[in-house]
Amino acid sequence: MSETSYLSSVRASYDAVAVDYARLLGSELDGRPLDRAMLAAFAECVRGEGGGGAGGRAVADLGCGPGRITARLDALGLRAFGVDLSPAMVAVARRTYPGLRFEVGSMGALDIADGVLGGVLAWYSTVHTPPAGLPPLFAEFARVLAPGGHLLIAFKAGDRRIRLEQAYGHRVDLDVYWTPPDLVAGRLADAGLAEVARLVRQPGPGESGPQGFLLARRAGGEQPSALEAGPAIARQGAAAEH
């Protein structure tokens, strides 16, 4: 995806909020057990426990922000690195987690070779992408995944657009898109990423609508086991929109 006005706005907005974003959302997962369960399931699938998968390969957290989810993936036993469009977010992540790798870049044009990753995480990093822009992003995710590799995408489940001009104590210039889960699954399938499992949960504190999570797998490699639907999923990269 080429540089566009919306990407410029996303970068500038997250550069402005980076420090306060990290402070306000640092413990967000503590009260969200279902979110943590999806991350844990993703980690198991990527590690290939129980059969299948592309275990041992690196995992890219695309749109990593201040790095809190990258750090969780690391704690779950994955060789995770983060990529984000915002240099300020990457700077915060590097200061906070000096033992992990974070790079600046766009998830629509990743500096990652074909088929080298065991997993890709897009944790709310596509919510500023217009629905028409999702197919090329998902094709890029599929390109960098190894056969049998897994993708986990978290998104806002619905069908609307919200305009944000104030967030995290700062002025911003952002559109937030709520996307139907069936549409997300269909666009992933078009990119060669088959749905393994999905979760749609009701909104929690600070959320204005349902939240969606979809686990998908690139074809190839060993066939996945039933573990993929259960509890508990390199090179330098480049990443993107929150």
Side-chain angles (χ1 to χ4, degrees):
M1 181 180 295
S2 62
E3 183 72 8
T4 65
S5 58
Y6 94 86
L7 287 183
S8 297
S9 296
V10 168
R11 178 189 292 110
S13 295
Y14 280 99
D15 278 348
V17 306
V19 172
D20 287 317
Y21 182 102
R23 175 177 59 84
L24 292 169
L25 298 185
S27 60
E28 181 187 31
L29 283 177
D30 291 352
R32 294 182 176 167
L34 295 176
D35 301 23
R36 298 196 307 271
M38 290 302 294
L39 287 167
F42 171 67
E44 283 200 23
C45 290
V46 170
R47 291 195 305 263
E49 295 176 3
R57 295 178 180 266
V59 173
D61 179 8
L62 302 180
C64 64
R68 71 195 192 286
I69 306 298
T70 319
R72 181 167 287 271
L73 296 180
D74 177 72
L76 288 168
L78 301 181
R79 293 198 299 115
F81 66 93
V83 194
D84 200 272
L85 189 68
S86 162
M89 283 288 193
V90 168
V92 171
R94 288 172 174 169
R95 289 196 303 268
T96 307
Y97 306 103
L100 299 178
R101 179 159 59 92
F102 299 95
E103 304 294 341
V104 176
S106 172
M107 66 184 173
L110 293 166
D111 183 21
I112 302 175
D114 295 356
V116 299
L117 297 181
V120 165
L121 178 70
W123 195 256
Y124 294 102
S125 56
T126 64
V127 300
H128 302 306
T129 302
L134 292 177
L137 287 187
F138 292 168
E140 184 72 344
F141 297 170
R143 180 186 69 78
V144 299
L145 275 173
H150 286 78
L151 164 78
L152 176 62
I153 181 170
F155 57 98
K156 297 182 179 297
D159 190 7
R160 56 181 167 141
R161 177 178 66 90
I162 294 177
R163 181 68 182 162
L164 284 183
E165 296 181 349
Q166 189 77 22
Y168 312 109
H170 298 265
R171 288 193 60 79
V172 297
D173 180 16
L174 296 169
D175 287 322
V176 181
Y177 293 90
W178 299 67
T179 311
D182 285 344
L183 186 149
V184 175
R187 296 294 183 267
L188 289 173
D190 291 343
L193 298 167
E195 179 177 352
V196 172
R198 73 172 73 176
L199 167 70
V200 177
R201 65 163 176 78
Q202 293 306 302
E207 296 172 336
S208 60
Q211 309 295 303
F213 306 84
L214 201 148
L215 179 66
R217 181 178 183 272
R218 183 183 168 188
E222 297 180 37
Q223 290 299 309
S225 72
L227 175 65
E228 287 183 332
I233 136 150
R235 279 180 42 178
Q236 178 170 318
E241 305 89 287
H242 300 260

